[in-house]
Coordinates of all heavy atoms in Angstrom, one line a residue:
M1 N 96.6 91.0 106.5 CA 95.6 91.8 107.2 C 95.0 92.8 106.1 O 95.7 93.6 105.6 CB 96.3 92.6 108.3 CG 95.5 93.7 108.9 SD 96.2 94.6 110.2 CE 97.9 94.8 109.8
K2 N 93.7 92.6 106.0 CA 93.0 93.5 105.1 C 92.2 94.5 105.9 O 91.7 94.2 107.0 CB 92.1 92.8 104.1 CG 92.9 92.0 103.1 CD 91.8 91.6 102.0 CE 92.6 90.9 101.0 NZ 91.7 90.5 99.9
T3 N 92.0 95.7 105.4 CA 91.2 96.7 106.1 C 90.2 97.2 105.1 O 90.4 97.3 103.9 CB 92.0 97.9 106.6 OG1 92.7 98.5 105.6 CG2 93.1 97.4 107.7
K4 N 89.0 97.5 105.6 CA 87.9 98.0 104.8 C 87.5 99.3 105.5 O 88.0 99.7 106.5 CB 86.8 97.0 104.7 CG 87.3 95.8 103.9 CD 86.1 94.9 103.6 CE 86.5 93.7 102.9 NZ 85.5 93.0 102.2
D5 N 86.5 99.9 104.9 CA 86.0 101.2 105.5 C 84.6 101.1 106.0 O 83.7 101.6 105.5 CB 86.1 102.3 104.3 CG 85.9 103.7 104.9 OD1 86.0 103.9 106.1 OD2 85.6 104.6 104.1
P6 N 84.5 100.3 107.2 CA 83.2 100.2 107.8 C 82.8 101.5 108.5 O 83.3 101.7 109.6 CB 83.4 99.0 108.7 CG 84.8 99.1 109.1 CD 85.6 99.6 107.9
G7 N 82.0 102.3 107.9 CA 81.3 103.4 108.6 C 82.4 104.5 109.0 O 82.4 104.8 110.1
G8 N 83.1 105.0 108.1 CA 83.9 106.2 108.4 C 85.3 105.9 108.8 O 85.9 107.0 109.0
Q9 N 85.8 104.8 109.0 CA 87.2 104.6 109.2 C 88.0 105.0 108.1 O 87.5 105.0 106.9 CB 87.5 103.1 109.6 CG 86.9 102.8 111.0 CD 87.3 101.3 111.3 OE1 87.9 100.6 110.5 NE2 86.9 100.9 112.5
Q10 N 89.3 105.5 108.3 CA 90.1 105.9 107.2 C 90.4 104.8 106.2 O 90.7 103.7 106.6 CB 91.4 106.4 107.8 CG 92.3 107.0 106.7 CD 93.5 107.6 107.2 OE1 93.8 107.5 108.4 NE2 94.3 108.3 106.4
S11 N 90.2 105.1 104.9 CA 90.4 104.1 103.8 C 91.7 104.4 103.1 O 92.1 105.5 103.1 CB 89.2 104.2 102.9 OG 89.5 103.4 101.8
S12 N 92.3 103.3 102.6 CA 93.6 103.5 101.9 C 93.4 104.0 100.6 O 94.3 104.4 99.9 CB 94.3 102.2 101.9 OG 93.6 101.2 101.0
G13 N 92.2 103.9 100.0 CA 92.0 104.3 98.6 C 92.3 103.2 97.6 O 92.2 103.4 96.4
V14 N 92.7 102.0 98.1 CA 93.1 100.9 97.3 C 92.0 99.9 97.4 O 91.8 99.4 98.5 CB 94.5 100.4 97.6 CG1 94.8 99.2 96.7 CG2 95.6 101.4 97.6
P15 N 91.4 99.5 96.3 CA 90.3 98.5 96.4 C 90.9 97.2 96.9 O 92.0 96.8 96.6 CB 89.9 98.3 95.0 CG 90.3 99.5 94.3 CD 91.5 100.0 94.9
D16 N 90.2 96.4 97.8 CA 90.6 95.2 98.3 C 90.9 94.2 97.2 O 91.9 93.3 97.4 CB 89.5 94.6 99.2 CG 89.5 95.3 100.6 OD1 90.5 95.9 101.0 OD2 88.5 95.2 101.2
C17 N 90.3 94.3 96.0 CA 90.6 93.3 95.0 C 91.9 93.5 94.4 O 92.5 92.7 93.7 CB 89.5 93.4 93.9 SG 89.6 95.0 93.0
C18 N 92.6 94.7 94.7 CA 93.9 94.9 94.1 C 95.1 94.7 95.1 O 96.2 95.1 94.7 CB 94.0 96.4 93.6 SG 92.8 96.8 92.4
T19 N 94.8 94.3 96.2 CA 95.9 94.2 97.3 C 95.7 92.9 98.0 O 94.6 92.4 98.2 CB 95.9 95.4 98.1 OG1 96.9 95.2 99.1 CG2 94.6 95.5 98.9
N20 N 96.9 92.4 98.5 CA 96.9 91.2 99.3 C 96.9 91.7 100.8 O 96.2 91.1 101.7 CB 98.1 90.3 99.1 CG 98.0 89.6 97.8 OD1 96.9 89.3 97.4 ND2 99.1 89.3 97.2
H21 N 97.6 92.8 101.1 CA 97.7 93.3 102.4 C 97.8 94.8 102.5 O 98.4 95.4 101.7 CB 99.0 92.7 103.1 CG 99.0 91.3 103.1 ND1 98.3 90.4 103.9 CD2 99.7 90.4 102.3 CE1 98.5 89.1 103.7 NE2 99.5 89.1 102.7
I22 N 97.2 95.4 103.5 CA 97.3 96.8 103.7 C 98.0 96.9 105.1 O 97.3 96.4 106.1 CB 96.0 97.6 103.6 CG1 95.4 97.4 102.3 CG2 96.2 99.0 104.1 CD1 94.0 98.0 102.1
L23 N 99.1 97.5 105.2 CA 99.8 97.6 106.5 C 99.9 99.0 106.9 O 100.7 99.7 106.4 CB 101.3 97.0 106.3 CG 101.3 95.5 105.8 CD1 102.7 95.1 105.5 CD2 100.7 94.6 106.8
P24 N 99.1 99.4 107.9 CA 99.2 100.8 108.4 C 100.4 100.9 109.3 O 100.5 100.2 110.3 CB 98.0 101.0 109.2 CG 97.5 99.6 109.6 CD 98.0 98.7 108.6
T25 N 101.4 101.7 108.8 CA 102.7 101.8 109.5 C 102.9 103.2 110.0 O 104.1 103.5 110.4 CB 103.8 101.3 108.7 OG1 103.8 102.0 107.5 CG2 103.6 99.8 108.4
G26 N 102.0 104.2 109.9 CA 102.3 105.6 110.2 C 102.7 105.9 111.6 O 103.2 106.9 111.8
N27 N 102.4 105.0 112.6 CA 102.7 105.3 114.0 C 103.9 104.6 114.5 O 104.1 104.5 115.7 CB 101.5 105.0 114.9 CG 100.3 106.0 114.5 OD1 100.6 107.2 114.2 ND2 99.1 105.5 114.7
L28 N 104.8 104.1 113.6 CA 106.0 103.3 114.0 C 107.0 104.3 114.3 O 107.2 105.4 113.7 CB 106.4 102.4 113.0 CG 105.5 101.3 112.5 CD1 106.0 100.4 111.4 CD2 105.1 100.4 113.7
D29 N 107.9 103.9 115.3 CA 109.2 104.7 115.6 C 110.1 104.5 114.3 O 109.9 103.6 113.5 CB 109.8 104.3 116.9 CG 110.2 102.8 116.8 OD1 111.3 102.6 116.3 OD2 109.4 102.0 117.3
S30 N 111.1 105.4 114.2 CA 111.9 105.5 113.1 C 112.7 104.1 112.9 O 112.8 103.7 111.7 CB 112.8 106.6 113.0 OG 113.7 106.6 114.2
K31 N 113.1 103.5 114.0 CA 113.9 102.3 113.8 C 113.0 101.1 113.3 O 113.4 100.4 112.3 CB 114.5 101.9 115.2 CG 115.3 100.6 115.1 CD 115.9 100.2 116.5 CE 116.7 99.0 116.4 NZ 116.2 97.9 117.0
T32 N 111.9 101.0 113.8 CA 110.9 100.0 113.4 C 110.5 100.2 112.0 O 110.4 99.3 111.1 CB 109.8 99.8 114.3 OG1 110.2 99.6 115.7 CG2 108.8 98.7 113.9
S33 N 110.2 101.5 111.7 CA 109.8 101.9 110.3 C 110.8 101.4 109.3 O 110.6 100.9 108.3 CB 109.5 103.4 110.3 OG 109.2 103.8 108.9
N34 N 112.1 101.8 109.6 CA 113.2 101.4 108.7 C 113.3 99.8 108.5 O 113.6 99.3 107.5 CB 114.5 101.9 109.1 CG 114.6 103.4 108.9 OD1 114.0 103.9 107.9 ND2 115.4 104.1 109.8
E35 N 113.1 99.0 109.6 CA 113.1 97.7 109.6 C 112.0 97.1 108.7 O 112.2 96.2 107.9 CB 113.0 97.0 111.0 CG 114.2 97.3 111.8 CD 114.1 96.9 113.3 OE1 112.9 96.5 113.7 OE2 115.0 97.0 114.0
V36 N 110.8 97.7 108.8 CA 109.6 97.3 108.0 C 110.0 97.5 106.5 O 109.7 96.7 105.6 CB 108.4 97.9 108.4 CG1 107.2 97.8 107.3 CG2 107.9 97.5 109.7
I37 N 110.5 98.8 106.2 CA 110.8 99.0 104.8 C 111.9 98.1 104.2 O 111.7 97.7 103.1 CB 111.4 100.5 104.8 CG1 110.3 101.5 105.2 CG2 111.8 100.9 103.3 CD1 109.0 101.5 104.4
E38 N 112.9 97.8 105.1 CA 113.9 96.8 104.6 C 113.3 95.4 104.4 O 113.6 94.8 103.3 CB 115.0 96.7 105.6 CG 116.2 95.9 105.2 CD 116.8 96.3 103.8 OE1 116.7 97.5 103.5 OE2 117.5 95.4 103.2
L39 N 112.4 95.0 105.2 CA 111.8 93.7 105.0 C 110.8 93.8 103.8 O 110.8 92.7 103.0 CB 110.9 93.3 106.2 CG 111.6 92.9 107.5 CD1 110.6 92.8 108.6 CD2 112.3 91.6 107.2
L40 N 110.2 94.8 103.5 CA 109.4 95.0 102.2 C 110.3 94.8 101.1 O 110.0 94.2 100.1 CB 108.6 96.2 102.2 CG 107.5 96.3 103.2 CD1 106.9 97.7 103.2 CD2 106.4 95.4 102.8
R41 N 111.5 95.6 101.1 CA 112.5 95.5 100.0 C 112.9 94.1 99.8 O 113.0 93.6 98.6 CB 113.6 96.5 100.3 CG 114.6 96.5 99.1 CD 115.8 97.4 99.4 NE 115.4 98.7 99.8 CZ 114.9 99.6 98.9 NH1 114.7 99.3 97.6 NH2 114.5 100.9 99.3
I42 N 113.3 93.4 100.8 CA 113.8 92.0 100.6 C 112.7 91.1 100.1 O 113.1 90.3 99.1 CB 114.3 91.5 102.0 CG1 115.6 92.2 102.5 CG2 114.6 90.0 102.0 CD1 116.0 92.1 103.9
T43 N 111.5 91.1 100.6 CA 110.5 90.2 100.1 C 110.1 90.6 98.8 O 109.8 89.7 97.9 CB 109.3 90.2 101.0 OG1 108.8 91.5 101.2 CG2 109.6 89.7 102.4
S44 N 110.1 91.8 98.4 CA 109.8 92.3 97.1 C 110.8 91.7 96.0 O 110.4 91.2 94.9 CB 109.8 93.9 96.9 OG 109.7 94.3 95.6
Q45 N 112.1 91.8 96.4 CA 113.1 91.2 95.5 C 113.0 89.7 95.4 O 113.1 89.1 94.4 CB 114.5 91.7 95.9 CG 114.7 93.2 95.8 CD 116.0 93.6 96.4 OE1 116.6 92.9 97.2 NE2 116.3 94.9 96.1
K46 N 112.9 89.1 96.6 CA 112.8 87.6 96.6 C 111.7 87.0 95.9 O 111.8 86.0 95.2 CB 112.8 87.2 98.1 CG 112.9 85.7 98.2 CD 112.9 85.3 99.7 CE 113.0 83.7 99.9 NZ 113.1 83.3 101.2
F47 N 110.5 87.6 96.0 CA 109.3 87.0 95.4 C 108.9 87.8 94.1 O 107.8 87.5 93.6 CB 108.2 87.0 96.4 CG 108.4 86.1 97.6 CD1 108.7 86.7 98.8 CD2 108.5 84.7 97.4 CE1 109.1 85.9 99.9 CE2 108.8 84.0 98.6 CZ 109.1 84.5 99.8
H48 N 109.7 88.7 93.6 CA 109.4 89.4 92.4 C 108.1 90.1 92.4 O 107.2 89.9 91.5 CB 109.6 88.5 91.2 CG 110.9 87.8 91.1 ND1 112.0 88.4 90.7 CD2 111.2 86.5 91.4 CE1 113.0 87.6 90.9 NE2 112.5 86.4 91.3
Q49 N 107.9 90.9 93.5 CA 106.5 91.5 93.7 C 106.8 93.0 93.7 O 107.8 93.5 94.1 CB 105.8 91.1 95.1 CG 105.5 89.7 95.0 CD 104.9 89.3 96.4 OE1 105.3 89.8 97.4 NE2 104.0 88.3 96.3
T50 N 105.8 93.7 93.3 CA 105.8 95.2 93.4 C 105.1 95.6 94.6 O 104.1 95.1 95.0 CB 105.0 95.8 92.2 OG1 105.7 95.4 91.0 CG2 104.9 97.3 92.3
I51 N 105.7 96.6 95.3 CA 105.1 97.2 96.6 C 104.6 98.6 96.2 O 105.3 99.4 95.6 CB 106.2 97.3 97.6 CG1 106.9 96.0 98.0 CG2 105.6 97.9 98.9 CD1 105.9 94.9 98.6
V52 N 103.4 98.8 96.5 CA 102.8 100.2 96.4 C 102.7 100.7 97.7 O 101.9 100.2 98.5 CB 101.5 100.1 95.6 CG1 100.9 101.5 95.5 CG2 101.6 99.5 94.2
M53 N 103.4 101.9 97.9 CA 103.4 102.5 99.3 C 102.9 103.9 99.1 O 103.4 104.6 98.3 CB 104.8 102.4 99.9 CG 104.9 103.0 101.3 SD 106.6 102.9 102.0 CE 106.9 101.2 101.7
I54 N 102.1 104.3 100.0 CA 101.7 105.7 100.1 C 102.2 106.3 101.4 O 102.0 105.8 102.4 CB 100.0 105.8 100.1 CG1 99.7 105.3 98.7 CG2 99.7 107.3 100.2 CD1 98.7 104.2 98.8
T55 N 103.0 107.4 101.3 CA 103.6 108.0 102.5 C 103.6 109.5 102.4 O 103.7 110.0 101.2 CB 104.9 107.4 102.7 OG1 105.5 108.0 104.0 CG2 105.9 107.7 101.6
H56 N 103.6 110.1 103.5 CA 103.8 111.6 103.6 C 105.3 111.8 104.1 O 105.7 113.0 104.2 CB 102.9 112.2 104.5 CG 101.5 112.2 104.0 ND1 100.9 113.2 103.1 CD2 100.4 111.3 104.3 CE1 99.7 112.9 102.8 NE2 99.4 111.8 103.5
N57 N 106.0 110.8 104.4 CA 107.3 110.9 104.9 C 108.4 110.8 103.8 O 108.6 109.9 103.2 CB 107.6 109.7 105.9 CG 108.9 109.7 106.6 OD1 109.8 110.3 106.1 ND2 108.9 109.2 107.8
P58 N 109.0 112.0 103.5 CA 110.0 112.1 102.5 C 111.2 111.2 102.7 O 111.8 110.7 101.7 CB 110.4 113.6 102.4 CG 110.0 114.1 103.7 CD 108.9 113.3 104.3
E59 N 111.6 110.9 103.9 CA 112.7 109.9 104.2 C 112.4 108.5 103.7 O 113.3 107.8 103.2 CB 113.1 110.0 105.6 CG 113.7 111.3 106.1 CD 114.9 111.8 105.2 OE1 115.8 111.0 105.0 OE2 114.8 112.9 104.9
I60 N 111.1 108.1 103.9 CA 110.8 106.8 103.4 C 110.6 106.8 101.9 O 111.1 105.9 101.2 CB 109.4 106.3 104.1 CG1 109.7 106.0 105.6 CG2 108.8 105.1 103.4 CD1 108.6 105.7 106.4
A61 N 110.0 107.9 101.4 CA 109.9 108.0 99.9 C 111.2 107.9 99.2 O 111.3 107.4 98.1 CB 109.1 109.3 99.5
K62 N 112.3 108.4 99.8 CA 113.6 108.5 99.2 C 114.2 107.1 98.9 O 115.1 106.8 98.1 CB 114.6 109.3 100.0 CG 114.4 110.8 100.0 CD 115.4 111.5 100.9 CE 115.1 112.9 100.9 NZ 116.1 113.6 101.8
Q63 N 113.6 106.1 99.7 CA 114.1 104.7 99.6 C 113.5 103.9 98.5 O 113.9 102.9 98.2 CB 113.9 104.0 101.0 CG 114.6 104.6 102.1 CD 114.4 104.0 103.4 OE1 114.4 102.7 103.4 NE2 114.0 104.7 104.4
A64 N 112.5 104.6 97.8 CA 111.8 103.8 96.8 C 112.6 103.8 95.5 O 113.4 104.6 95.2 CB 110.5 104.5 96.5
D65 N 112.4 102.7 94.7 CA 113.0 102.7 93.4 C 112.3 103.6 92.3 O 112.9 103.9 91.4 CB 112.9 101.2 92.9 CG 113.7 100.2 93.8 OD1 114.8 100.6 94.2 OD2 113.3 99.1 93.9
R66 N 111.1 103.9 92.6 CA 110.3 104.8 91.8 C 109.4 105.6 92.7 O 108.8 105.0 93.6 CB 109.5 104.1 90.7 CG 108.8 105.0 89.8 CD 108.2 104.2 88.7 NE 107.6 105.2 87.7 CZ 106.6 104.9 86.9 NH1 106.1 103.7 86.9 NH2 106.3 105.8 86.0
C67 N 109.3 106.8 92.5 CA 108.4 107.7 93.3 C 107.5 108.5 92.4 O 108.0 109.3 91.5 CB 109.3 108.6 94.2 SG 108.3 109.6 95.3
I68 N 106.3 108.5 92.6 CA 105.3 109.3 91.9 C 104.6 110.2 92.9 O 104.1 109.8 93.9 CB 104.2 108.4 91.2 CG1 104.8 107.4 90.2 CG2 103.1 109.3 90.5 CD1 104.0 106.4 89.7
R69 N 104.8 111.5 92.7 CA 104.3 112.5 93.6 C 102.9 113.0 92.9 O 102.9 113.4 91.8 CB 105.2 113.7 93.7 CG 104.9 114.5 94.9 CD 106.0 115.5 95.3 NE 105.5 116.8 94.6 CZ 106.2 117.4 93.6 NH1 107.3 117.0 93.2 NH2 105.6 118.5 93.1
I70 N 101.9 113.0 93.8 CA 100.6 113.5 93.5 C 100.2 114.8 94.2 O 100.3 114.8 95.4 CB 99.5 112.4 93.7 CG1 99.9 111.1 92.8 CG2 98.2 112.9 93.4 CD1 99.0 110.0 93.1
E71 N 99.8 115.8 93.4 CA 99.3 117.0 94.1 C 97.9 117.4 93.5 O 97.8 117.3 92.3 CB 100.2 118.1 93.8 CG 101.6 118.1 94.4 CD 102.5 119.2 94.1 OE1 102.0 120.2 93.5 OE2 103.7 119.2 94.5
D72 N 97.0 117.7 94.3 CA 95.7 118.1 93.9 C 95.0 117.0 93.0 O 94.4 117.4 92.0 CB 95.6 119.4 93.2 CG 96.2 120.5 94.1 OD1 95.9 120.5 95.3 OD2 96.8 121.5 93.6
G73 N 95.3 115.7 93.3 CA 94.7 114.6 92.6 C 95.2 114.4 91.2 O 94.8 113.5 90.5
K74 N 96.4 115.0 90.9 CA 97.1 114.8 89.6 C 98.5 114.4 89.8 O 99.2 114.9 90.7 CB 97.0 116.0 88.7 CG 95.6 116.4 88.4 CD 95.5 117.6 87.5 CE 93.9 117.9 87.2 NZ 93.8 119.1 86.6
V75 N 99.2 113.7 88.9 CA 100.6 113.4 89.0 C 101.3 114.6 88.7 O 101.2 115.3 87.7 CB 101.0 112.3 87.9 CG1 102.5 112.1 87.9 CG2 100.2 110.9 88.1
A76 N 102.1 115.0 89.7 CA 103.0 116.2 89.6 C 104.4 115.9 89.2 O 105.0 116.7 88.5 CB 103.1 116.9 91.0
S77 N 104.9 114.7 89.5 CA 106.2 114.3 89.0 C 106.3 112.7 89.2 O 105.7 112.2 90.0 CB 107.3 115.0 89.8 OG 107.3 114.6 91.2
A78 N 107.3 112.2 88.5 CA 107.6 110.8 88.5 C 109.1 110.6 88.4 O 109.7 111.3 87.5 CB 106.9 110.0 87.5
Q79 N 109.8 110.0 89.3 CA 111.2 109.8 89.3 C 111.6 108.3 89.4 O 111.0 107.6 90.2 CB 111.9 110.5 90.4 CG 111.7 112.0 90.3 CD 112.4 112.7 91.6 OE1 111.9 112.4 92.7 NE2 113.4 113.5 91.3
E80 N 112.5 107.9 88.5 CA 113.1 106.6 88.7 C 114.3 106.6 89.6 O 115.0 107.6 89.6 CB 113.4 106.0 87.3 CG 112.3 105.8 86.4 CD 111.5 104.6 86.7 OE1 112.0 103.6 87.2 OE2 110.3 104.6 86.4
G81 N 114.6 105.6 90.3 CA 115.9 105.6 91.1 C 115.5 106.3 92.4 O 114.6 106.9 92.6
R82 N 116.5 106.3 93.2 CA 116.4 106.9 94.6 C 116.9 108.3 94.4 O 118.1 108.6 94.6 CB 117.2 106.1 95.6 CG 116.6 104.7 95.7 CD 117.4 103.9 96.8 NE 116.9 102.6 96.7 CZ 117.4 101.6 97.4 NH1 118.3 101.8 98.2 NH2 116.8 100.5 97.3
A83 N 116.0 109.1 94.3 CA 116.3 110.6 94.1 C 115.6 111.4 95.3 O 114.8 110.9 96.0 CB 115.9 111.2 92.8
D84 N 116.0 112.6 95.4 CA 115.3 113.5 96.4 C 113.9 113.7 96.0 O 113.5 113.8 94.8 CB 115.9 114.9 96.4 CG 117.3 114.8 97.1 OD1 117.5 113.9 98.0 OD2 118.1 115.7 96.8
V85 N 113.0 113.7 97.0 CA 111.5 113.8 96.7 C 111.1 115.2 97.1 O 111.5 115.9 97.9 CB 110.8 112.8 97.7 CG1 109.3 112.9 97.5 CG2 111.3 111.4 97.3

């Protein structure tokens, strides 16, 4: 599922040419959200793909192998491994 920005809808900020799928998951309940994250992790490992995820949820960010925090449009920090965000 690809999304574009036709006339003012929220855009992901990722050009369509750089992505296969944009999955809006912000309104999922916590159980479903965790299931989606686990499926992304499994498929990423199985197919040797990188997942780029943008989130405001620190609990989801903690599950990432690498986390880059951006503040005011600049990289504020970068952490390898699953550390506190």
